[in-house]
Amino acid sequence: MALDAVGDPVSQGCFVFKPDFKRKKVSFPIADYFNEGKSLSEDSKLRFDTCQLLWQQMKSEAEELQEELNKNLFDNLIEFLGKSHLEFQKKSTNWNYQIKSREIPTAAIVLGVNVTDHDLTFKGLTEMLKDTVTPYVVSLQAKECPDVKHLLQKLASQLMGCVDIESTEEEYVQSSQRKMHYSMAFLSTWYRSITKKTGSESVNKKVTSSQWKESPPIVIILEDIESFSTKVLQDFIIISSQHLHELPIVLVFGIATSPIIIHRLLPQAVSSLCIELLQSLSCKEHLAKLLDKLLLTTRFPFKLNEKALQVLTNIFLYHDFSVQNFIKGLQLAVLEHFYSQPLSILCCDLPEAKRRIYSLSEDQCESIRRLPSFMRYVEKQIPEKQVALLTHERFLKEETLRFLEELHIYHENFFLVLRCFHAFVSSLPKYPLGRQIRELYCACLEKNIWESQEYEPILQLLRMLAKDELIAVLQKCVEVFKSSPGKQLGSMAEKLQEFLAQFQSLDETESNEEENGSGSQQKGFQKTDLYHLQKSLLEMKELRSSNKKQTKFEVHRDRVVDLIDNLVRKFLSPPDTQTLYEVVYFTGAHMLREHLNAAPRIALHTALNNPYHYLKNQALKSEDDSIPNVAPDICIAYKLHLECSRLINLVDWSEAFATVVTAAEETDPNSTASEEIKEIIHARFIRAVSELELLGFIKPTKQKTDHVARLTWGGC
Amino acid sequence: MNHLKLQEVKMLQVQFVGDDDVLNHILDKEEGAKFRKDRAQLLVNVKKLMKKQESDQNEDDQEDLKDENYVDILGADTQDSLKNGRIAGGSNKVYSFQTRKNPEKMAELAYELAKTPGKSISLISKENAEKMASTSQSIKKQSTSDKDQLKSDEKNEFLSTPYRLRKRLTVSTLPSDTESEYSDSNSEDDNGVKREEEEKISEVFMDQKRIAKHRSGSSSSCKKVSAKKMKKDTTTDLVEEYFEAHSSSKVLTSDRTLQKLKRTKLDQQTLHNLLSKFSPSFSAELKQLNEQHERLFHKWMLQLHLGFNIVLYGLGSKKELLEKFRASMLQDSVHVVINGFFPGITVKSILNSITEEILDHMGTFRSVVDQLDWIINKFKDDSSLELFLLIHNLDSQMLRGDKSQQILGQLSSLPKIYLIASIDHINAPLMWDHSKQSLYNWLWYETTTYRPYTEETSYENSLLVQQCGTLALSSLTHVFRSLTPNARGIFRLLIKYQLENEDNPSYIGLSFQDFYQQCREAFLVNSDLTLRAQLTEFRDHKLLRTKKGTDGVEYLLIPIDTGTLTDFLEKEDKEA
């Protein structure tokens, strides 16, 4: 048994290592690890700083977005709080109020299944409430409250903590002494004393709104209502409804599933709640907004390629719906991009990049020359220019700058046209290119969108748009174009507005023509059977399409569609057609999947089933999925165990194992193998078996002597 | 049959994997989406598209047809190879595992080895062979040609009607249930036939699997329209297979036990000695593999510092790797190494070592949660604190509980606590739900090392390993030291009495009354209540076992072998 470095491994499982503090270096900068521990070059430090800076910006943008999205919800909640204890504030004593006061005002917030994101929402909520409404905000989680006693304790201790520091000092000593008997009565006396104090001195400067100054409500947030046990909730609600005339309690439920759950959890106590339902933004919309802010913009130079974006959205859609996780994935992508791509040093905003280009080193220039997109570009040039690009450093740098500028312009146009195109496409029935802009974006990143199967039919559908629809879409597009300061597409807004005006002016003339058209069809109604009717209808249709002149509207509509078609073809080419796109596009989709959405079972099975995959030894190579007998012991044992059903006889197993192993060692099977070798083989078998047990493939069983039970089914 | 087997293996790779399934699922969805798109195009009423759709359908139909043909062909194939297998099964020469030129035979062997091990014995040793020769049996011979015919008919039926197949399966396995367990030594013809049936059934299953496999292959290459259907098939297959194996309470395995084999249980030490004589192959490749992982060290450090935590998975002990990581990267920082595989490890002890040894806090805490809160506050207050946690086997028996994981997750979510852990168990990821995963904020790294799990398994009460005394002795010492002098005396009395009766084979323990008497005489207890209270404590530490004798009297026994006890007494006497 190999022992650990220190300590008695038999009696201890944790070993603490403290460095010698005298020897301790001045703390390691993290950037050191960025460059694989080699001496820190200026370049990689710069790269790391760029990475950090970029990520900080993206992160704060994401947080701002989150706040903005929550704002609506929070506003509603505050409004609700304002309504909730009006009577209490007036200290009214009328009978009606007494009855009503048995009902606890409750806000049920439906937050969606992405439980992991809720934390942030609640944190924001608590802060916001503390700032604007009341200092008494308590948030409870189910795992802290196994019973009512714990719940009250937690509640009380958090409430006491809410008060200003001066008052807590003495109180804290007291409260710790009688920790055991917290009750609602105790809380209400506490509340009375505290409100009296604050009321007279008006210490609480934070809370600006006068409405809550007198008697701020106590907001109790139950973050995960589904995990609370019915009994605890029920008891708590009954108790607090009894004390409602002394304590202005407001409950806030966080709901992950559906509001029905309240009724299911609280079949009886629900009558003493006065519930108001609030809906938070769905996580899908949140994601769409996030993508809009972080990726579909020229603000941040960093971009994901199609595969990487696919991986991240798939994890989101098929695993957790968690926006936070998506952000984490994005962070990893940023980090990995800067870590693995030396040219990512140019992945910053344009003016900064300009400065950096001129200080590029020899090596970096060389790596620009090695970029596939650059090489593609070079091949297309005339020989003199080729030579210049490949040898002349200064020229290369100038060209690089030009490429980066082009890339920037490309992105500007790309996103504008993308949004515009999305406005068109998303109005079509059945959403041929997806409902969300990210789906369209993915499709555009992948290949030339106009070569896709769906594109032609889309144009055809667009040519059939009704006028009012078309006008609505056009107005949207005008807004899109107006919002940007773009140079090339600046005139686009005017062009579209022209179209709009034309459509509107068409109104009168259009209606006249329609009347004429309908008048001509009145003739020739006879009795026909269904077949003839269909036939004649078809004929009529053909006649109409071939003969009938297009109306003015149709002509204009076609022109609009042609315009869009042109725009798409011109500006929505995928990024890998751009030179130097590697600088800003992260391409390591497989890496994201590997680290975020790993498959440990596959890895384990592959290692056991096909050791050649890891150990590149020719002896381990097998044409098919069989396993050579020289494979590691555990692989052989595993392979043999796959052949068994529920129970495995250890004796049989060990003999089978021994056969395989002796065959592998190519000792003559007939000669009596020495006892020692047999012992060793047996020991190896024991080890293999206990390793399989550790891995969870088998377990000992008492059903039959010397048998083990298989724990896996269907192969693994 | 060998083909079948290989197919099966292939199929397994495709099928069992959860994540792959997920992937398939995704593909399905996408496929579905595309399909919808087709529909959308239909709306446009373009005839061309209509035609296209039709042709698509035609293609699908054709494919189905092709599938059927293929099945038929394969069915015929299998029978041939089955026969081959039978013929081969008769002769013993097949069992040379090294003849890899003939993969069929090898697969046959693997299959045979697991099922009829009797045959392989001639390879192992002569005397064994002789012994086993009587027990070995050949099941294949009895098959006659018309039986084969019958079988093939049946098989076709099975293939066409999977539901009936299941019924049949239960029917065919039922008779064997009613019989006594299948035993290797007295094989009768009946048994042989039954067994054949059994095999046949499994073959049918393999057939199905192979079909499924084929379909998945074809669908992935060209059309995935039938992907959903295919998946359904394979899953029902799995389900059926599962219930087939679990339907009968009795299992058909041989009755041989290790005792007959005359191979005594090895203790940990001899096992270790024996294994040290055996040098593993492929050391060059292993080294290369390890170097690959070591190149990641800097990246790990970087990612740890940026708020991620790292989890390592893959076959092979990752202890050495982590140890190397520790030695090369963590020399200048405070870190805690936690051996999750240690049987006595608890979250409490982990937190204790953090509070006591790193934060130098001497007080106690009311609960683990309190302790955690304290640590969290401490780390929030003092931003200069940094701590690395290295956990070997985060998925061990002791740490895999929900509460432990929750606490470790919360600990690791602190920005200044960096966690790097390893997992081994195949179901380890099931420990974490979404909220725990977001606490841990894992980055997964595959580090397959193929290193033996020497330490990880050394604590485990393995099936074939006899526990040597060292562990018991040290735990005994620890418990003993925590006792009051009187309790020590009581326990010592019991040990002495047990050692005195060491040679008495019919010794079942010291009766409670006798023991009480002895204790009274030694002034150790004053009432039998106090003695019982003491005994409860021993029992809680698994130092004592009580048994009711035939006369209804309670007998007390220490479930530790005499060698350890003697060692223990000697050690204690020396120190006293």
Side-chain angles (χ1 to χ4, degrees):
Chain A
M1 205 189 301
L3 303 184
D4 209 290
V6 282
D8 173 16
V10 175
S11 59
Q12 207 187 340
C14 303
F15 308 98
V16 177
F17 296 89
K18 282 184 179 176
D20 193 353
F21 276 101
K22 287 171 206 158
R23 206 162 52 89
K24 194 179 177 185
K25 290 178 205 165
V26 209
S27 64
F28 248 132
I30 313 170
D32 272 15
Y33 302 115
F34 197 74
N35 201 26
E36 316 249 323
K38 284 166 220 147
S39 64
L40 189 65
S41 68
E42 257 327 286
D43 159 51
S44 72
K45 183 161 170 22
L46 187 63
R47 207 143 42 103
F48 180 69
D49 290 343
T50 324
C51 170
Q52 288 292 81
L53 184 72
L54 178 66
W55 177 244
Q56 282 311 324
Q57 284 169 349
M58 288 174 92
K59 201 173 145 195
S60 56
E61 181 77 31
E63 276 161 7
E64 258 171 50
L65 178 74
Q66 166 100 22
E67 260 171 45
E68 195 185 302
L69 294 179
N70 280 336
K71 198 173 174 294
N72 192 18
L73 172 73
F74 289 175
D75 286 348
N76 287 343
L77 192 66
I78 289 179
E79 194 186 324
F80 168 74
L81 286 178
K83 281 186 295 185
S84 58
H85 280 289
L86 279 179
E87 302 282 337
F88 187 86
Q89 256 117 45
K90 289 176 200 151
K91 301 241 162 25
S92 94
T93 45
N94 69 39
W95 181 244
N96 196 8
Y97 167 67
Q98 293 284 333
I99 298 283
K100 229 183 148 191
S101 71
R102 291 273 180 261
E103 282 185 358
I104 312 174
T106 304
I109 310 178
V110 182
L111 288 157
V113 287
N114 46 338
V115 188
T116 44
D117 294 350
H118 296 176
D119 247 10
L120 224 61
T121 313
F122 282 120
K123 214 179 270 171
L125 178 67
T126 316
E127 265 167 35
M128 192 269 312
L129 286 180
K130 276 188 181 169
D131 282 353
T132 55
V133 182
T134 165
Y136 312 118
V137 183
V138 181
S139 69
L140 298 170
Q141 284 180 328
K143 57 172 183 272
E144 299 165 338
C145 315
D147 49 42
V148 180
K149 199 181 105 187
H150 277 93
L151 192 146
L152 285 180
Q153 224 171 61
K154 202 84 198 169
L155 177 68
S157 63
Q158 280 202 37
L159 274 182
M160 306 292 185
C162 292
V163 201
D164 296 341
I165 303 128
E166 337 131 44
S167 53
T168 34
E169 286 301 319
E170 21 165 349
E171 211 133 342
Y172 187 73
V173 183
Q174 281 180 1
S175 67
S176 62
Q177 280 168 353
R178 41 176 160 168
K179 207 154 201 167
M180 295 331 282
H181 39 89
Y182 277 134
S183 64
M184 272 299 178
F186 170 74
L187 273 182
S188 54
T189 43
W190 166 81
Y191 182 75
R192 215 175 303 135
S193 71
I194 213 82
T195 44
K196 214 180 280 166
K197 211 191 285 174
T198 49
S200 54
E201 298 169 24
S202 66
V203 201
N204 213 337
K205 285 163 204 152
K206 260 191 190 168
V207 180
T208 45
S209 168
S210 61
Q211 189 192 346
W212 290 296
K213 218 165 213 170
E214 274 289 286
S215 49
I218 298 175
V219 180
I220 300 171
I221 304 173
L222 305 177
E223 288 184 16
D224 41 354
I225 194 78
E226 283 94 345
S227 333
F228 279 93
S229 79
T230 306
K231 201 179 165 325
V232 174
L233 272 184
Q234 196 122 17
D235 290 354
F236 176 67
I237 287 172
I238 289 169
I239 294 172
S240 36
S241 73
Q242 294 301 316
H243 288 268
L244 208 59
H245 56 281
E246 290 163 329
L247 291 170
I249 290 177
V250 179
L251 294 179
V252 177
F253 291 166
I255 297 174
T257 51
S258 85
I260 294 289
I261 196 78
I262 302 177
H263 296 267
R264 205 170 295 159
L265 266 177
L266 305 165
Q268 280 124 52
V270 81
S271 59
S272 48
L273 297 176
C274 172
I275 300 175
E276 170 127 350
L277 207 62
L278 300 170
Q279 189 90 31
S280 80
L281 193 77
S282 91
C283 48
K284 269 202 238 158
E285 281 169 54
H286 190 172
L287 180 76
K289 290 249 168 69
L290 188 80
L291 284 179
D292 205 55
K293 288 268 180 199
L294 295 186
L295 289 179
L296 300 178
T297 166
T298 45
R299 234 191 102 192
F300 302 110
F302 177 78
K303 299 278 177 294
L304 292 171
N305 81 339
E306 187 254 339
K307 289 247 172 58
L309 186 60
Q310 241 355 316
V311 168
L312 287 184
T313 46
N314 280 348
I315 291 176
F316 176 84
L317 290 175
Y318 295 106
H319 287 264
D320 50 10
F321 284 121
S322 164
V323 178
Q324 293 311 312
N325 244 350
F326 186 88
I327 294 175
K328 169 192 167 186
L330 207 57
Q331 183 189 4
L332 183 67
V334 171
L335 179 64
E336 193 64 22
H337 179 66
F338 280 90
Y339 188 81
S340 56
Q341 173 62 268
L343 285 176
S344 58
I345 194 161
L346 297 178
C347 184
C348 51
D349 48 357
L350 212 51
E352 179 67 30
K354 265 180 208 165
R355 273 196 289 121
R356 287 185 190 175
I357 282 176
Y358 288 105
S359 56
L360 283 185
S361 70
E362 190 84 14
D363 288 346
Q364 282 163 330
C365 289
E366 203 44 53
S367 47
I368 289 179
R369 286 181 188 126
R370 260 182 266 126
L371 287 181
S373 65
F374 184 78
M375 293 205 298
R376 221 167 32 217
Y377 170 78
V378 170
E379 276 164 22
K380 282 183 203 145
Q381 303 307 311
I382 48 167
E384 292 90 75
K385 204 173 176 193
Q386 280 184 355
V387 173
L389 278 171
L390 293 178
T391 54
H392 202 304
E393 199 169 296
R394 198 177 165 72
F395 184 60
L396 175 78
K397 281 176 181 172
E398 276 162 15
E399 284 289 288
T400 311
L401 180 60
R402 192 171 62 79
F403 288 137
L404 285 182
E405 276 166 354
E406 271 174 17
L407 199 62
H408 187 76
I409 293 167
Y410 160 80
H411 277 137
E412 250 173 31
N413 296 334
F414 185 93
F415 293 127
L416 279 180
V417 176
L418 184 75
R419 275 172 227 272
C420 175
F421 189 44
H422 178 245
F424 275 96
V425 174
S426 60
S427 65
L428 296 181
K430 301 273 177 171
Y431 310 103
L433 277 174
R435 196 183 301 231
Q436 305 274 354
I437 195 165
R438 62 157 197 274
E439 291 165 88
L440 185 65
Y441 183 45
C442 266
C444 292
L445 286 178
E446 192 187 357
K447 58 178 181 191
N448 289 335
I449 186 83
W450 59 90
E451 282 167 10
S452 72
Q453 208 184 357
E454 292 90 359
Y455 190 71
E456 270 309 310
I458 282 175
L459 283 191
Q460 262 159 358
L461 277 173
L462 284 181
R463 282 180 216 280
M464 295 166 75
L465 275 182
K467 197 166 66 183
D468 47 347
E469 280 177 309
L470 195 61
I471 287 175
V473 170
L474 278 179
Q475 269 160 347
K476 252 191 244 171
C477 292
V478 169
E479 270 166 41
V480 168
F481 282 117
K482 268 186 179 166
S483 67
S484 85
K487 299 148 205 160
Q488 281 194 344
L489 289 169
S491 59
M492 218 33 140
E494 290 157 32
K495 223 183 217 171
L496 289 175
Q497 257 168 342
E498 239 170 71
F499 274 119
L500 263 178
Q502 278 172 350
F503 281 130
Q504 269 144 9
S505 68
L506 270 176
D507 265 346
E508 300 95 51
T509 46
E510 186 80 351
S511 54
N512 291 341
E513 274 181 37
E514 277 295 306
E515 273 167 29
N516 292 343
S518 59
S520 62
Q521 284 173 22
Q522 294 291 334
K523 57 175 181 180
F525 276 122
Q526 308 148 354
K527 275 194 178 176
T528 48
D529 54 10
L530 190 64
Y531 172 73
H532 278 106
L533 177 69
Q534 278 178 339
K535 206 178 153 190
S536 57
L537 277 175
L538 266 178
E539 276 169 7
M540 235 144 82
K541 207 174 173 188
E542 267 168 39
L543 265 177
R544 259 172 93 185
S545 57
S546 56
N547 289 359
K548 201 185 164 196
K549 265 191 200 166
Q550 284 185 314
T551 59
K552 263 187 188 168
F553 167 67
E554 281 166 337
V555 173
H556 284 305
R557 187 171 61 190
D558 282 357
R559 276 170 59 200
V560 171
V561 174
D562 286 343
L563 177 73
I564 292 300
D565 186 30
N566 280 338
L567 280 179
V568 167
R569 280 168 201 270
K570 193 168 174 198
F571 294 111
L572 283 191
S573 55
D576 48 11
T577 55
Q578 303 298 310
T579 315
L580 290 192
Y581 78 97
E582 290 97 333
V583 170
V584 296
Y585 276 85
F586 174 67
T587 49
H590 66 100
M591 197 230 71
L592 285 182
R593 186 190 294 277
E594 214 171 282
H595 295 324
L596 294 175
N597 195 10
R601 287 177 68 130
I602 300 182
L604 212 53
H605 181 74
T606 318
L608 288 166
N609 211 27
N610 181 18
Y612 180 70
H613 188 262
Y614 293 95
L615 306 170
K616 301 283 181 211
N617 190 309
Q618 284 309 311
L620 284 172
K621 199 168 184 179
S622 54
E623 314 79 51
D624 33 52
D625 272 327
S626 63
I627 195 169
N629 50 16
V630 287
D633 293 347
I634 189 168
C635 300
I636 292 172
Y638 173 76
K639 207 73 182 175
L640 290 170
H641 115 286
L642 281 184
E643 304 301 330
C644 295
S645 65
R646 197 153 49 104
L647 292 186
I648 307 169
N649 186 320
L650 276 173
V651 186
D652 294 354
W653 196 5
S654 99
E655 273 170 5
F657 179 81
T659 318
V660 178
V661 172
T662 28
E665 267 156 30
E666 292 178 26
T667 47
D668 188 7
N670 288 326
S671 75
T672 44
S674 76
E675 194 58 34
E676 198 192 349
I677 288 177
K678 266 161 58 188
E679 282 274 290
I680 291 178
I681 288 175
H682 187 61
R684 282 164 61 187
F685 172 69
I686 290 174
R687 182 169 66 182
V689 169
S690 40
E691 283 174 1
L692 284 180
E693 193 186 341
L694 179 84
L695 294 176
F697 287 102
I698 54 165
K699 69 166 189 195
T701 175
K702 288 200 170 118
Q703 279 184 36
K704 217 170 166 187
T705 40
D706 289 330
H707 274 64
V708 289
R710 240 186 105 174
L711 292 177
T712 52
W713 203 256
C716 182
Chain B
M1 182 167 133
N2 297 297
H3 279 305
L4 284 183
K5 155 123 179 72
L6 301 176
Q7 290 281 8
E8 186 201 13
V9 171
K10 258 186 212 156
M11 184 268 165
L12 295 178
Q13 276 188 329
V14 179
Q15 193 183 21
F16 75 92
V17 195
D19 288 41
D20 251 14
D21 270 353
V22 171
L23 196 73
N24 269 339
H25 179 69
I26 291 166
L27 286 175
D28 272 351
K29 287 263 153 122
E30 281 170 4
E31 208 50 52
K34 286 230 174 92
F35 209 70
R36 254 191 282 121
K37 283 169 202 162
D38 282 351
R39 290 258 177 83
Q41 288 159 355
L42 278 179
L43 267 189
V44 192
N45 225 347
V46 187
K47 278 183 187 167
K48 190 178 72 193
L49 280 172
M50 193 76 124
K51 263 184 203 159
K52 201 175 163 303
Q53 183 83 9
E54 268 173 351
S55 67
D56 267 358
Q57 273 176 349
N58 281 344
E59 264 177 40
D60 285 350
D61 290 345
Q62 275 172 358
E63 218 172 52
D64 282 353
L65 279 177
K66 266 187 227 156
D67 270 359
E68 272 169 35
N69 284 340
Y70 189 63
V71 168
D72 281 345
I73 292 161
L74 273 183
D77 224 316
T78 28
Q79 264 157 35
D80 283 350
S81 61
L82 268 179
K83 275 176 208 155
N84 286 344
R86 275 202 189 106
I87 295 158
S91 72
N92 273 339
K93 280 166 199 161
V94 191
Y95 296 119
S96 46
F97 211 72
Q98 65 268 57
T99 55
R100 277 182 43 243
K101 286 169 208 159
N102 192 348
E104 294 187 357
K105 285 179 183 174
M106 199 196 82
E108 166 92 25
L109 177 74
Y111 192 68
E112 290 300 320
L113 276 179
K115 277 208 161 181
T116 60
K119 290 185 182 172
S120 59
I121 293 137
S122 60
L123 287 178
I124 303 172
S125 74
K126 269 183 187 168
E127 85 249 29
N128 257 357
E130 273 169 356
K131 203 186 84 190
M132 302 309 291
S134 57
T135 67
S136 75
Q137 52 151 357
S138 67
I139 21 134
K140 312 288 180 186
K141 283 172 197 162
Q142 294 119 350
S143 66
T144 55
S145 59
D146 52 349
K147 226 185 235 170
D148 260 349
Q149 191 56 46
L150 186 92
K151 222 177 279 168
S152 64
D153 286 346
E154 275 176 11
K155 192 174 294 162
N156 285 340
E157 245 173 43
F158 285 162
L159 285 175
S160 54
T161 59
Y163 177 66
R164 258 171 55 205
L165 166 120
R166 193 172 57 183
K167 265 201 201 156
R168 270 189 190 257
L169 280 177
T170 47
V171 170
S172 62
T173 46
L174 272 176
S176 53
D177 285 350
T178 54
E179 286 213 358
S180 64
E181 280 179 357
Y182 168 72
S183 74
D184 213 12
S185 48
N186 43 7
S187 76
E188 289 158 34
D189 279 7
D190 274 3
N191 266 344
V193 171
K194 207 154 285 154
R195 181 137 168 190
E196 255 177 357
E197 248 176 332
E198 202 72 14
E199 267 172 32
K200 190 179 71 202
I201 286 155
S202 63
E203 280 153 19
V204 172
F205 271 125
M206 285 184 215
D207 264 356
Q208 285 203 331
K209 281 190 196 167
R210 190 209 40 240
I211 293 160
K213 159 76 186 164
H214 158 69
R215 280 205 201 150
S216 71
S218 67
S219 64
S220 64
S221 58
C222 40
K223 281 271 177 289
K224 282 173 199 155
V225 187
S226 63
K228 246 180 196 163
K229 210 174 68 192
M230 180 271 296
K231 229 178 61 179
K232 214 182 253 172
D233 278 358
T234 57
T235 47
T236 47
D237 246 18
L238 270 184
V239 171
E240 277 175 4
E241 214 180 321
Y242 178 86
F243 282 112
E244 197 253 324
H246 287 77
S247 59
S248 61
S249 58
K250 280 171 186 164
V251 200
L252 296 171
T253 49
S254 68
D255 287 337
R256 298 155 66 209
T257 58
L258 289 167
Q259 266 181 335
K260 284 185 203 159
L261 208 63
K262 288 184 210 155
R263 195 153 276 157
T264 50
K265 281 195 170 185
L266 303 166
D267 64 46
Q268 202 65 250
Q269 196 56 43
T270 32
L271 185 70
H272 186 67
N273 287 343
L274 280 172
L275 285 174
S276 63
K277 285 177 200 158
F278 163 74
S279 58
S281 37
F282 311 117
S283 49
E285 283 82 9
L286 285 174
K287 207 176 149 212
Q288 202 186 341
L289 210 57
N290 249 10
E291 276 165 7
Q292 257 173 39
H293 302 323
E294 279 161 33
R295 247 172 274 144
L296 293 170
F297 283 176
H298 283 281
K299 206 169 174 184
W300 289 352
M301 284 302 273
L302 177 70
Q303 286 168 343
L304 285 173
H305 277 286
L306 291 179
F308 296 104
N309 289 311
I310 287 179
V311 62
L312 309 178
Y313 64 92
L315 180 67
S317 169
K318 288 159 279 287
K319 188 149 193 309
E320 251 171 88
L321 185 69
L322 279 179
E323 192 57 33
K324 219 172 228 171
F325 173 73
R326 188 184 77 78
S328 59
M329 306 308 280
L330 300 183
Q331 280 314 308
D332 295 317
S333 33
V334 183
H335 56 278
V336 182
V337 177
I338 295 148
N339 291 336
F341 48 81
F342 174 68
I345 193 92
T346 54
V347 178
K348 177 102 184 127
S349 60
I350 296 172
L351 293 184
N352 274 344
S353 55
I354 294 174
T355 49
E356 282 164 21
E357 294 185 52
I358 290 167
L359 304 175
D360 296 317
H361 176 82
M362 279 310 137
T364 51
F365 297 91
R366 280 196 308 149
S367 70
V368 185
V369 181
D370 276 0
Q371 195 166 7
L372 180 70
D373 286 344
W374 189 84
I375 294 175
I376 289 174
N377 283 331
K378 194 89 180 168
F379 269 88
K380 268 186 191 148
D381 292 345
D382 189 351
S383 60
S384 69
L385 280 175
E386 269 191 345
L387 175 63
F388 284 86
L389 290 178
L390 266 87
I391 305 185
H392 303 291
N393 280 79
L394 186 60
D395 56 346
S396 70
Q397 288 284 350
M398 296 303 291
L399 297 181
R400 68 174 64 148
D402 187 57
K403 278 207 178 116
S404 318
Q405 289 297 328
Q406 178 71 35
I407 285 168
L408 287 176
Q410 274 172 294
L411 203 60
S412 71
S413 66
L414 290 179
K416 288 285 181 176
I417 289 190
Y418 315 117
L419 171 66
I420 178 165
S422 67
I423 55 167
D424 287 304
H425 198 279
I426 41 167
N427 292 329
L430 298 183
M431 292 189 295
W432 304 312
D433 55 12
H434 280 315
S435 61
K436 281 199 202 76
Q437 260 177 13
S438 79
L439 280 178
Y440 275 118
N441 203 14
W442 287 129
L443 284 187
W444 299 74
Y445 275 90
E446 182 183 337
T447 54
T448 302
T449 61
Y450 282 100
R451 298 258 174 228
Y453 290 100
T454 321
E455 267 183 82
E456 287 89 332
T457 54
S458 65
Y459 291 109
E460 207 179 359
N461 246 322
S462 181
L463 308 147
L464 300 159
V465 183
Q466 199 176 36
Q467 282 303 312
C468 60
T470 46
L471 186 60
L473 184 60
S474 98
S475 54
L476 191 58
T477 322
H478 275 271
V479 174
F480 194 77
R481 295 225 177 108
S482 69
L483 295 175
T484 60
N486 270 7
R488 284 189 213 179
I490 295 172
F491 196 62
R492 199 184 273 265
L493 262 182
L494 195 58
I495 294 175
K496 275 188 184 147
Y497 189 79
Q498 189 157 334
L499 288 179
E500 279 163 23
N501 287 289
E502 187 182 351
D503 302 325
N504 179 4
S506 61
Y507 173 74
I508 51 165
L510 178 57
S511 76
F512 181 77
Q513 275 310 318
D514 291 351
F515 189 38
Y516 176 54
Q517 210 55 43
Q518 285 186 24
C519 290
R520 268 187 82 104
E521 280 160 19
F523 296 111
L524 290 171
V525 291
N526 52 9
S527 75
D528 67 342
L529 269 183
T530 40
L531 180 59
R532 278 197 192 277
Q534 263 330 315
L535 294 185
T536 320
E537 190 172 340
F538 295 153
R539 211 175 292 138
D540 288 346
H541 287 288
K542 303 227 162 63
L543 293 178
L544 188 75
R545 200 180 286 161
T546 51
K547 235 191 232 169
K548 278 250 163 79
T550 43
D551 45 358
V553 180
E554 245 181 306
Y555 287 98
L556 309 170
L557 192 71
I558 302 174
I560 297 170
D561 59 326
T562 38
T564 316
L565 284 182
T566 332
D567 284 352
F568 171 72
L569 270 191
E570 271 170 22
K571 211 172 146 195
E572 284 303 307
D573 287 340
K574 217 181 289 167
E575 279 176 27

